[in-house]
Amino acid sequence: MSEKKSFGIKAAMVIALTTGASTLITADGHDMRDAYKRPAEIPFPDENPYVEDKADLGKQLFFDPRLSRENNLTCGSCHNPSFAWEDAQATSVGTPMSRLGRHTPTVLNLAWGEIYFWDGRAETLEEQALGPIQAGGEMAQDMDQLIDELKAVPGYVERFEDVFPGEGVTPENIGKAIATYERTIVSAQAPFDEWVNGDEDAISDAAKRGFELFNTKAKCVACHEGWNFTDWGFHDIGLGDNDEGRFEVLEIDALKHSFKTPGLRNIVERAPYMHDGSLKTLEEVVDHYNDGFTDRPSLSTEMVKLGLNADEKSDLVAFMKTLSSDDPAVSLPKLPN
Amino acid sequence: MNTKHTICAGLLALTSSIAVSGATFAADPVRVTQQGKQFSEKNLNLVAGQEIIFINDDKVAHNVYTIVKGKKRDLGLQKSGEEDSITFDAAGTYRVRCAIHPKMKMVVKVK
Ligand SMILES: [Cu+2]
């Protein structure tokens, strides 16, 4: 990872271990919050380092409807920054006007990801970006036609040539530009982060109890770990539908009905939840984990009945609400025409 | 990144020492633990016929797999405390991964 882009985290993060936080000490003597400190920089791969003009070009492509067959859908139609880069629907509508089989995931914080899509079928963000453009059901665009269309726009020809000298408009470079832009999409400091950094007043007592439950009795941390609250792994959490998920891509029995663990940043804004959009609220999510899941051979061994009472459930929800940051509004780019 | 290079150099030193012992006692298996959703080794050099024992020292389950001659070698679900092994009979480069946690990966070179 050569190129890094700092996004303004203060270097000195001092954790104040106050007496009130004594329940947050783990079995091996650490403060539970230590595992949740935000990284200082965005990682970019050596094969596609950060360049500002490349990210700007990627943003234009992300919000350009000409990437879709009917010139009516942008990546942002489904990954809408107003809904924390989702679309507030159980499953969204693509081209032709038909419902997609899976819920739109967020594109927040994907720079730290490993493999992409709910089922992990794309190895890199670069490869991923070319998927929806061509996917029947999503943007349904023919790639050769798209290249011709973009080459007919002098402003794009110029920009691609600036960013990729001697290469210009190619599918690979469209993927690289979009991926670079996507890696810059990072959720900002949330009240939770302020608390991790030592501000005891940043979140409520209920949220603090919820955080402790998240790491202990409720077992959420087995899969939702670290500052972005994901292991980037694949699990069957017993939603009970027939989608085989990751198993369709990698035939390993433990992967039946398993889907990628989503991060939990800005989770309130991202309702409804899960790969099928079947849970409408965070309360429903907690009920699901408590005792609402379907037991079947592929169910993750980390999924057990939790026995949470009503107060504990509402504490968990209070905690998840502290993960929402007041991200600056995203402005639409000017597009060459 | 400077720090990263230092870590890599450290790992190389570690793996080459394992390779030496591997060459001396060809039959000795190498033990690789899975802890904190990481393999204890990222790169290993083995000789043909050598075995890796995968030990799950984590609280969560793992599922090690690799591709050998185009076929999947799947250790299946491994719960906390369990161990299982893969013998690498043929020379080549193998990518070992956890199916559940794709961030867990290692490269095994067999001579
Ligand atoms: Cu694993």
Side-chain angles (χ1 to χ4, degrees):
Chain A
M1 288 167 214
S2 59
E3 297 277 342
K4 300 269 180 168
K5 180 167 175 277
S6 158
F7 52 96
I9 295 294
K10 289 183 189 71
M13 289 184 182
V14 185
I15 301 280
L17 269 175
T18 61
T19 45
S22 60
T23 52
L24 298 176
I25 303 299
T26 61
D28 47 1
H30 295 286
D31 187 309
M32 273 172 201
R33 293 176 291 188
D34 289 354
Y36 293 89
K37 284 185 194 162
R38 297 175 62 106
E41 291 168 323
I42 303 174
F44 288 87
D46 291 340
E47 305 77 52
N48 188 21
Y50 177 79
V51 176
E52 194 178 349
D53 286 349
K54 195 181 352 179
D56 289 346
L57 174 60
K59 181 174 181 183
Q60 289 181 315
L61 295 167
F62 195 94
F63 289 106
D64 192 333
R66 288 169 295 189
L67 261 63
S68 65
R69 188 180 74 196
E70 309 294 346
N71 296 339
N72 62 346
L73 276 179
T74 74
C75 309
S77 306
C78 298
H79 304 284
N80 184 342
S82 305
F83 296 119
W85 306 89
E86 293 192 9
D87 57 15
Q89 309 184 60
T91 57
S92 78
V93 173
T95 307
M97 302 296 272
S98 58
R99 290 266 156 205
L100 298 182
R102 290 177 187 156
H103 172 71
T104 305
T106 185
V107 295
L108 272 174
N109 305 333
L110 291 185
W112 288 268
E114 184 64 26
I115 53 180
Y116 300 92
F117 283 119
W118 281 109
D119 56 13
R121 66 188 181 277
E123 288 290 327
T124 61
L125 272 182
E126 285 75 4
E127 175 194 338
Q128 195 290 328
L130 301 180
I133 299 176
Q134 302 171 85
E138 290 190 37
M139 296 159 99
Q141 175 71 280
D142 178 73
M143 190 48 80
D144 291 339
Q145 208 179 317
L146 173 61
I147 300 293
D148 288 346
E149 254 180 87
L150 293 181
K151 279 187 174 161
V153 183
Y156 267 134
V157 173
E158 221 169 90
R159 264 159 210 274
F160 271 89
E161 198 49 46
D162 280 352
V163 176
F164 304 103
E167 297 176 12
V169 185
T170 65
E172 191 181 57
N173 289 340
I174 293 174
K176 282 185 168 174
I178 293 178
T180 302
Y181 172 57
E182 285 175 318
R183 290 191 178 96
T184 67
I185 303 175
V186 178
S187 56
Q189 286 279 103
F192 172 75
D193 300 299
E194 280 151 31
W195 181 57
V196 166
N197 289 348
D199 178 357
E200 285 300 326
D201 300 326
I203 67 174
S204 68
D205 286 343
K208 290 176 196 174
R209 288 192 301 271
F211 173 73
E212 194 191 344
L213 286 164
F214 189 92
N215 285 278
T216 53
K217 184 175 174 184
K219 300 185 193 300
C220 316
V221 71
C223 306
H224 297 280
E225 65 180 14
W227 76 279
N228 192 37
F229 298 88
T230 174
D231 59 0
W232 304 101
F234 295 83
H235 311 271
D236 174 6
I237 62 162
L239 286 163
D241 63 333
N242 291 325
D243 194 334
E244 300 243 88
R246 180 102 183 107
F247 183 76
E248 284 169 20
V249 182
L250 181 61
E251 276 187 41
I252 281 182
D253 287 342
L255 294 177
K256 278 201 180 141
H257 306 290
S258 73
F259 294 86
K260 191 169 71 169
T261 313
L264 299 181
R265 292 274 169 180
N266 301 61
I267 192 66
V268 181
E269 293 90 320
R270 286 163 45 199
Y273 303 109
M274 307 302 174
H275 73 268
D276 54 359
S278 59
L279 302 183
K280 292 183 189 61
T281 62
L282 289 176
E283 285 77 7
E284 282 183 30
V285 169
V286 171
D287 283 337
H288 169 85
Y289 283 109
N290 194 44
D291 57 8
F293 49 87
T294 305
D295 199 354
R296 54 185 168 192
S298 57
L299 183 73
S300 165
T301 49
E302 272 46 83
M303 293 291 295
V304 291
K305 293 203 169 152
L306 300 173
L308 301 172
N309 64 34
D311 285 346
E312 290 171 325
K313 288 184 193 175
S314 81
D315 287 348
L316 263 180
V317 172
F319 158 62
M320 283 191 274
K321 289 184 176 167
T322 69
L323 301 178
S324 286
S325 50
D326 190 13
D327 292 358
V330 175
S331 62
L332 287 177
K334 283 205 172 128
L335 299 177
N337 201 348
Chain B
M1 255 173 63
N2 276 334
T3 47
K4 201 179 170 201
H5 288 301
T6 338
I7 293 168
C8 288
L11 258 182
L12 276 181
L14 196 76
T15 50
S16 55
S17 72
I18 287 169
V20 169
S21 63
T24 328
F25 313 98
D28 275 9
V30 179
R31 295 174 77 80
V32 170
T33 56
Q34 303 162 74
Q35 207 174 27
K37 296 182 187 164
Q38 301 271 321
F39 288 118
S40 55
E41 307 289 343
K42 298 273 177 287
N43 296 283
L44 272 184
N45 294 310
L46 305 185
V47 294
Q50 211 172 350
E51 180 187 46
I52 301 182
I53 302 176
F54 293 95
I55 302 133
N56 184 357
D57 268 347
D58 253 332
K59 284 183 210 133
V60 298
H62 295 295
N63 193 133
V64 175
Y65 77 100
T66 187
I67 308 291
V68 179
K69 288 190 198 142
K71 279 175 105 179
K72 216 178 330 64
R73 178 77 175 85
D74 171 15
L75 287 188
L77 195 71
Q78 221 181 345
K79 292 185 189 151
S80 182
E82 293 178 355
E83 59 176 68
D84 203 346
S85 65
I86 300 179
T87 303
F88 293 86
D89 286 321
T93 301
Y94 302 84
R95 282 163 212 288
V96 176
R97 224 178 196 179
C98 171
I100 299 171
H101 307 109
K103 288 238 178 234
M104 296 174 62
K105 49 187 176 180
M106 65 186 288
V107 176
V108 178
K109 289 198 174 125
V110 180
K111 267 198 258 184

